[in-house]
Amino acid sequence: MPHDRLGELVVVTGMTGAGRSTAAKELEDLGYYVVDNLPPSLLREVVRLVDDSRGSQQPIAVVVDVRSGSFFQTLQANLAQGATGRHATLVFLEAADDVLVRRQDAARRPHPLQGTGRLIDGLRREREVLADLRSDADLVIDTTRLNVHQLTDRIAEAFGTPDTTRLKVSVVSFGAKYGIPVDADFVADMRFLPNPHWIPELRPQTGRDAAVSDYVLSQPGAAEFLDAYVPVLEGVASGYLREGKRFMTVAIGCTGGKHRSVAMTEEIARRLQAAGFDTRATHRDLGRE
């Protein structure tokens, strides 16, 4: 299992087209403060600024590429001497030349070192420049046969924690008259259930109140909906994790976002939490009427 990564410093480098941007995005999703294309001479300064603003427990990841040129010697010296005061891990991303050429061609971007030559010439020069860094790397990942999702899995396996690698599910109640949440992955409409608004003693209460919740959950069709819908969400959530997606938003609506959607949102969130997903319930339009 991944260990505690508080205070970690991860330096990501490697061949152009080997997946540095993918690794950086995954580290950001894992809670790292990420700086891309950092001149190595500024490494200590970045660590100092993050320590001052976010605390020394904030994990940091920096991406260094071949454009840093001769500054690589500074990077190696800083890491060798422990100059940042943090535990540092140097990650080198590698891939076969033919794969790197295909990826660069697909991206329609020249290699930063190819000059007036061919792309393969730039790659060969890059290998020469990065040879010492590769030999010093703590972790070398060959992405030749890895797709984006497999690479993110490797990064998560190496640098994630149980908390950062769990799927985070947000279940949001809303009122249809105010519009559907634009960031929703799934939307369900609770207007098939009787509306507590028409019961005088329940009207001033919300779906968070026990009387309203009990009323909504006891209505015909409510239990059947929950028993069918929550397993679907669980299955999709597991699939999201396999595909490297760690955030899912489920929107539950009713007319005004006060009674039915709130009660059902709370129950769906409770069931997903019990199933092991990092779930929170929020109520976008509660109190808006």
Side-chain angles (χ1 to χ4, degrees):
M1 294 294 291
H3 61 71
D4 188 351
R5 291 291 175 177
L6 293 177
E8 181 87 15
L9 170 64
V10 176
V11 179
V12 179
T13 190
M15 298 297 294
T16 300
R20 291 190 309 259
S21 296
T22 297
K25 183 179 182 302
E26 176 63 14
L27 286 164
E28 188 171 31
D29 286 346
L30 293 173
Y32 281 71
Y33 182 90
V34 177
V35 182
D36 199 358
N37 192 25
L38 178 76
S41 57
L42 297 179
L43 183 61
R44 280 190 286 184
E45 182 66 11
V46 165
V47 171
R48 185 188 66 78
L49 290 172
V50 173
D51 285 351
D52 290 345
S53 63
R54 300 195 177 201
S56 60
Q57 299 302 295
Q58 169 65 53
I60 303 171
V62 298
V63 182
V64 181
D65 65 31
V66 74
R67 288 170 290 179
S68 298
S70 61
F71 291 118
F72 278 132
Q73 292 180 348
T74 304
L75 173 64
Q76 288 173 286
N78 283 341
L79 295 179
Q81 297 166 8
T84 65
R86 287 172 173 248
H87 175 267
T89 301
L90 178 60
V91 179
F92 191 96
L93 301 180
E94 174 68 278
D97 281 350
D98 61 325
V99 172
L100 295 175
V101 168
R102 271 202 313 274
R103 290 174 183 171
Q104 286 298 99
D105 283 342
R108 299 180 181 275
R109 298 182 64 185
H111 190 282
L113 295 186
Q114 76 180 75
T116 58
R118 297 180 303 156
L119 192 122
I120 192 68
D121 297 325
L123 289 171
R124 286 170 182 160
R125 293 190 188 103
E126 185 175 33
R127 287 197 187 280
E128 294 174 2
V129 172
L130 298 179
D132 288 342
L133 269 182
R134 190 188 190 287
S135 65
D136 288 343
D138 299 293
L139 175 63
V140 176
I141 301 177
D142 186 345
T143 68
T144 300
R145 294 180 174 83
L146 300 182
N147 61 32
V148 170
H149 304 304
Q150 290 167 328
L151 175 55
T152 58
D153 285 346
R154 290 290 302 277
I155 296 297
E157 179 183 354
F159 300 106
T161 67
D163 284 339
T164 58
T165 54
R166 293 172 71 195
L167 182 76
K168 293 175 174 57
V169 183
S170 179
V171 188
V172 184
S173 69
F174 70 95
K177 66 182 180 180
Y178 303 117
I180 296 173
V182 296
D183 59 343
D185 297 300
F186 296 90
V187 179
D189 188 347
M190 298 300 103
R191 287 176 292 185
F192 70 92
L193 298 171
N195 192 347
H197 174 82
W198 304 114
I199 301 176
E201 61 269 27
L202 298 181
R203 182 178 301 177
Q205 300 184 58
T206 76
R208 282 178 158 175
D209 294 307
V212 174
S213 178
D214 291 345
Y215 174 84
V216 171
L217 297 179
S218 67
Q219 295 305 306
E224 291 82 356
F225 170 81
L226 290 166
D227 291 343
Y229 193 56
V230 173
V232 170
L233 295 177
E234 292 176 9
V236 171
S238 298
Y240 272 15
L241 271 177
R242 288 193 298 272
E243 291 298 303
K245 182 176 171 70
R246 293 201 173 85
F247 302 93
M248 184 171 84
T249 300
V250 180
I252 307 296
C254 64
T255 304
K258 179 179 180 180
H259 296 114
R260 292 165 291 181
S261 63
V262 172
M264 294 294 272
T265 289
E266 292 285 339
E267 180 61 16
I268 289 170
R270 185 192 68 77
R271 294 192 182 198
L272 289 174
Q273 188 76 43
F277 296 102
D278 184 0
T279 309
R280 64 188 180 95
T282 59
H283 306 292
R284 191 192 71 177
D285 298 321
L286 193 59
R288 190 168 177 176
E289 77 282 351

